[in-house]
Amino acid sequence: MESFHKLKICVLLVFVTFFQLGQGFYLPGSYPHKYGIGDYLNMKVNSLTSIDTEIPFSYYSLPFCHPKEGIKDSAENLGELLMGDRIENSPYRFKMYTNETDIFLCQTKPLSADEFKLLTKRIDEMYQVNVILDNLPAIRYTKKEGFMLRWTGYPVGVKVQDTYYVFNHLKFTVLVHKYEETNVARVMGTGDAAEVIPTVGNDGSDAPGYMVVGFEVVPCSFQHNANSLKKLNMYDKYPASINCDPGTVAMPIKENEPLAFTYEVSFVERDDIKWPSRWDAYLKMEGAKVHWFSILNSLMVITFLAGIVLVIFLRTVRRDLTRYEELDKEAQAQMNEELSGWKLVVGDVFRAPTNPSLLCVMVGDGVQILGMAVVTILFAALGFMSPASRGTLISGMLFFYMILGIAAGYVAVRMWRTIFVGDHKGWISVSWKVACFFPGISFLILTILNFLLWGSHSTGAIPFSLFVVLILMWFCISVPLTLVGGYFGARAPHIEYPVRTNQIPREIPPQKYPSWLLVLGAGTLPFGTLFIELFFIMSSIWMGRVYYVFGFLFIVMILLVVVCAEVSLVLTYMHLCVEDWKWWWKSFFASGSVAIYIFLYSINYLIFDLKSLSGPVSATLYLGYSLFMVVAIMLATGTVGFLSSFWFVHYLFSSVKLD
């Protein structure tokens, strides 16, 4: 009875602890902020971006107004820094539910020759200004041919008949929703998943509060009166009425002349937009019907093809095994003398491949990358990586990659021991190679690209301090975990081969067609599962569009794994049937060759979809990041093909006894 009483006390303590944690920790998304009427809203600025160059720059690299208190960086996570985001404070400020018009911000110094040249260059390169209010990016709506287009941010300026104009007057619209306080916990979310927000209670004030549920901007070019600006200070009211017409431009950029900036803000209460759904405007994807139909069509076709391949494959193998097992011993002995196809390579099928260490390392890294991708996409599909939390996707990928170093070391070392029939010598060397192979390639590519970004003074360049942090994370977390996984792999029993390997290798008969031609062609089927989704992913990365259909991406990834496994199985069986026992590397590249087609697709996307991409630096960045992505995909898909083929060969030769 006393023990039961202690158990109840422990359960109560755990419940109270979790309840207290729940007061300050909300997952996923962010907690709604309540603003009273007249409370200040501080707008922040992010990096200037362009789909023309793909090189981000700091907002204050251009001659814009600076805040009175000086420029201050906002706290940024690792993912934001790696993505090139640089969020800083701005001089723009609003009062909740207080409409203001014709607010003077500042007048810059006369533009120097360098500032004039830089500003006109940024306009030519179609750079966008990205501003943020209450964690919401500003949206700009434009009409074109009867369609309403949605953009994030607004352009720096525009060029009309060889004259450059700057957008120096901004018309902001803040959409707000009245804060609803209740006495019970309620379910809230960010539009992608629900979360429980416990209510702490009323703060004792009866004044209404409001939440920001939308943020829109209309940029205008307005010619201010120079005499009217002389006595104005920041946040003073401009003496004349400013008519914001986005269809006309009036403020030309001239060397040795200053620029004046003003703004206006209006608040609109929207009862139809709740706080949980305020991100819906950003997550709407154009061509949604085409997107869903294409994905569904791809899934159905690939599933149908994979089913046919699987049925044919199972019928062929089972027929061979059934015919052999139905014979008596004398007939089996006679048949052994007249063996053909895969049965002839029984003494060579498990012969160690060339460069076994490299194969084990690539398989280990492939397991790590594949595991990271599956777990990250699953968490994103469940809503744990909301777009409201910038950089969480990249941060999550890094975290899961480092943790899965244990799996990489374990698989690589155990495969190493299996190839060398239980010999555990050299497992430390294999573990080190696993820990350094893909990260080494990544650091090499990123360092070269980073020098290009450093030379361009871009915010996309990884700071040196962050480089040191990444190296320390790799050396202090990823490497030890990989060695721990290798240690467990060395202690685990190796996989025993069902047949013995002959001392003298069997000669492979000449083939009608080069085997590597089949291996390269095999990548077309896995590519068929990817190419439609790949277009949307590429558009998200390079065209500035939001990608948030991780549920479909997770389905496509599972389907890709199945197709890679089946393609590799079929090719391995085909090679064994023509007495080609060198299946190890071919099974890896049979599914890994999909990376070649993805890289070719990347080049096609660069030529036909990123036509405006200008300059060798931008093209080099694009190709460098594409190469980085392709190497990761090759290791992941190749690992799937190799492990499935290894299981198949082991199962095939353990199912039938050959003397």
Side-chain angles (χ1 to χ4, degrees):
M1 192 69 182
E2 184 179 353
S3 60
F4 179 72
H5 181 66
K6 289 182 179 179
L7 178 63
K8 289 198 296 183
I9 294 177
C10 291
V11 171
L12 181 62
L13 288 174
V14 170
F15 176 78
V16 171
T17 302
F18 274 96
F19 178 77
Q20 292 297 327
L21 288 174
Q23 299 293 330
F25 183 68
Y26 309 106
L27 182 71
S30 55
Y31 186 69
H33 192 106
K34 172 186 173 183
Y35 296 95
I37 296 177
D39 288 353
Y40 278 109
L41 302 173
N42 294 313
M43 192 183 81
K44 297 182 179 181
V45 292
N46 204 342
S47 300
L48 306 172
T49 56
S50 169
I51 61 173
D52 189 55
T53 64
E54 303 294 348
I55 303 175
F57 290 100
S58 170
Y59 173 84
Y60 292 108
S61 63
L62 294 182
F64 292 139
C65 299
H66 289 213
K68 284 183 176 180
E69 63 274 17
I71 301 171
K72 298 177 182 178
D73 292 332
S74 296
E76 294 166 329
N77 58 44
L78 185 62
E80 287 179 300
L81 293 172
L82 291 175
M83 290 172 63
D85 288 342
R86 295 295 184 273
I87 302 176
E88 299 162 311
N89 60 332
S90 80
Y92 295 93
R93 69 178 188 185
F94 318 133
K95 292 180 181 178
M96 172 56 76
Y97 223 108
T98 305
N99 296 339
E100 296 178 291
T101 58
D102 312 331
I103 302 299
F104 173 73
L105 202 59
C106 79
Q107 185 177 29
T108 66
K109 297 178 181 179
L111 295 180
S112 65
D114 290 339
E115 289 175 330
F116 173 79
K117 184 179 179 181
L118 181 63
L119 191 56
T120 54
K121 182 182 179 183
R122 295 290 180 259
I123 293 175
D124 280 333
E125 294 171 337
M126 299 187 296
Y127 269 87
Q128 301 279 321
V129 179
N130 300 292
V131 295
I132 303 168
L133 181 68
D134 195 45
N135 206 30
L136 283 179
I139 288 183
R140 175 173 57 97
Y141 293 98
T142 59
K143 285 186 178 180
K144 185 177 181 181
E145 299 178 357
F147 293 96
M148 185 68 73
L149 302 179
R150 185 183 69 252
W151 310 86
T152 302
Y154 64 91
V156 174
V158 66
K159 182 181 180 181
V160 179
Q161 295 179 353
D162 297 329
T163 303
Y164 293 91
Y165 296 88
V166 66
F167 290 121
N168 61 335
H169 179 81
L170 301 178
K171 181 180 180 180
F172 296 106
T173 303
V174 181
L175 309 181
V176 296
H177 184 87
K178 196 168 184 179
Y179 189 86
E180 299 171 356
E181 184 69 46
T182 58
N183 294 323
V184 294
R186 62 196 180 281
V187 176
M188 301 196 73
T190 56
D192 49 270
E195 62 185 70
V196 176
I197 305 296
T199 300
V200 180
N202 204 325
D203 57 3
S205 173
D206 294 329
Y210 293 90
M211 299 174 291
V212 177
V213 295
F215 187 38
E216 300 173 5
V217 62
V218 177
C220 302
S221 180
F222 182 79
Q223 179 71 60
H224 299 88
N225 189 317
N227 294 326
S228 302
L229 299 173
K230 291 182 179 179
K231 297 182 180 180
L232 292 179
N233 295 318
M234 186 176 285
Y235 307 124
D236 286 347
K237 189 175 179 64
Y238 186 72
S241 176
I242 298 176
N243 181 25
C244 181
D245 184 5
T248 61
V249 289
M251 183 61 192
I253 303 171
K254 297 180 181 179
E255 193 174 338
N256 297 321
E257 289 192 11
L259 297 174
F261 292 89
T262 54
Y263 70 95
E264 60 184 280
V265 59
S266 61
F267 289 81
V268 179
E269 188 170 350
R270 293 287 298 270
D271 294 331
D272 58 320
I273 304 178
K274 307 289 186 181
W275 189 88
S277 59
R278 67 178 191 158
W279 276 90
D280 288 359
Y282 302 85
L283 303 181
K284 291 177 183 176
M285 300 186 69
E286 286 77 6
K289 291 184 179 179
V290 177
H291 179 81
W292 304 131
F293 177 77
S294 300
I295 294 295
L296 184 61
N297 179 64
S298 177
L299 292 174
M300 292 175 64
V301 170
I302 296 303
T303 304
F304 178 70
L305 291 175
I308 293 177
V309 169
L310 185 61
V311 169
I312 295 174
F313 164 73
L314 288 177
R315 287 186 61 184
T316 304
V317 175
R318 284 189 175 181
R319 183 182 60 197
D320 285 353
L321 292 176
T322 304
R323 285 178 56 194
Y324 186 84
E325 290 171 354
E326 287 177 352
L327 300 175
D328 55 22
K329 292 184 179 180
E330 294 183 1
Q332 284 185 13
Q334 182 180 358
M335 184 178 177
N336 286 339
E337 297 176 359
E338 302 173 357
L339 288 177
S340 61
W342 57 269
K343 308 174 199 69
L344 287 171
V345 296
V346 61
D348 300 276
V349 70
F350 290 109
R351 190 176 301 280
T354 55
N355 297 319
S357 176
L358 179 60
L359 179 63
C360 294
V361 167
M362 293 175 72
V363 170
D365 279 330
V367 168
Q368 191 173 7
I369 295 168
L370 182 64
M372 172 209 61
V374 171
V375 175
T376 304
I377 294 174
L378 179 61
F379 271 78
L382 294 174
F384 285 86
M385 296 180 180
S386 165
S389 304
R390 291 177 185 82
T392 52
L393 191 64
I394 302 296
S395 301
M397 291 173 69
L398 279 173
F399 173 77
F400 292 130
Y401 179 81
M402 289 187 296
I403 294 299
L404 288 169
I406 295 179
Y410 178 84
V411 172
V413 170
R414 194 172 183 197
M415 184 56 61
W416 167 266
R417 293 192 63 216
T418 299
I419 291 176
F420 289 97
V421 198
D423 186 8
H424 65 275
K425 293 181 180 178
W427 71 267
I428 297 179
S429 174
V430 173
S431 300
W432 265 104
K433 291 175 182 177
V434 171
C436 298
F437 181 73
F438 180 69
I441 295 175
S442 304
F443 272 106
L444 178 63
I445 295 174
L446 294 178
T447 301
I448 294 173
L449 299 181
N450 216 48
F451 275 117
L452 295 176
L453 291 170
W454 270 336
S456 302
H457 305 287
S458 168
T459 59
I462 302 174
F464 179 75
S465 57
L466 184 57
F467 244 109
V468 175
V469 170
L470 290 174
I471 292 174
L472 289 176
M473 289 173 61
W474 166 75
F475 189 76
C476 298
I477 301 176
S478 182
V479 172
L481 289 177
T482 307
L483 290 173
V484 169
Y487 171 76
F488 285 115
R491 289 176 61 89
H494 70 279
I495 302 171
E496 295 185 359
Y497 294 148
V499 292
R500 292 191 300 268
T501 302
N502 297 334
Q503 292 184 351
I504 302 175
R506 178 185 179 84
E507 184 180 355
I508 300 175
Q511 310 295 326
K512 293 182 180 180
Y513 305 101
S515 58
W516 286 103
L517 191 62
L518 289 174
V519 169
L520 294 177
T524 55
L525 193 58
F527 180 72
T529 67
L530 271 182
F531 78 97
I532 295 175
E533 201 68 25
L534 195 60
F535 171 78
F536 289 94
I537 296 173
M538 299 284 277
S539 298
S540 171
I541 297 173
W542 301 109
M543 303 292 284
R545 299 172 185 170
V546 177
Y547 182 90
Y548 207 62
V549 285
F550 290 105
F552 266 95
L553 183 60
F554 185 75
I555 295 173
V556 169
M557 170 163 281
I558 298 300
L559 191 59
L560 175 67
V561 170
V562 173
V563 173
C564 284
E566 292 181 346
V567 165
S568 185
L569 290 183
V570 172
L571 251 72
T572 299
Y573 182 71
M574 290 173 62
H575 284 120
L576 294 179
C577 284
V578 294
E579 304 176 31
D580 185 355
W581 47 268
K582 295 182 178 180
W583 59 271
W584 300 78
W585 281 107
K586 291 170 185 174
S587 66
F588 186 93
F589 287 111
S591 53
S593 61
V594 67
I596 298 175
Y597 298 97
I598 293 177
F599 190 70
L600 293 176
Y601 179 84
S602 301
I603 296 174
N604 173 80
Y605 190 86
L606 172 64
I607 296 172
F608 295 103
D609 292 278
L610 293 178
K611 297 177 183 178
S612 60
L613 199 66
S614 62
V617 174
S618 300
T620 304
L621 287 172
Y622 174 84
L623 293 175
Y625 287 125
S626 298
L627 181 62
F628 170 73
M629 176 182 69
V630 161
V631 171
I633 291 174
M634 184 266 292
L635 291 173
T637 54
T639 296
V640 172
F642 171 78
L643 292 179
S644 58
S645 291
F646 181 83
W647 168 84
F648 161 68
V649 173
H650 189 276
Y651 172 79
L652 180 63
F653 284 90
S654 61
S655 299
V656 57
K657 302 299 181 182
L658 296 172
D659 296 328

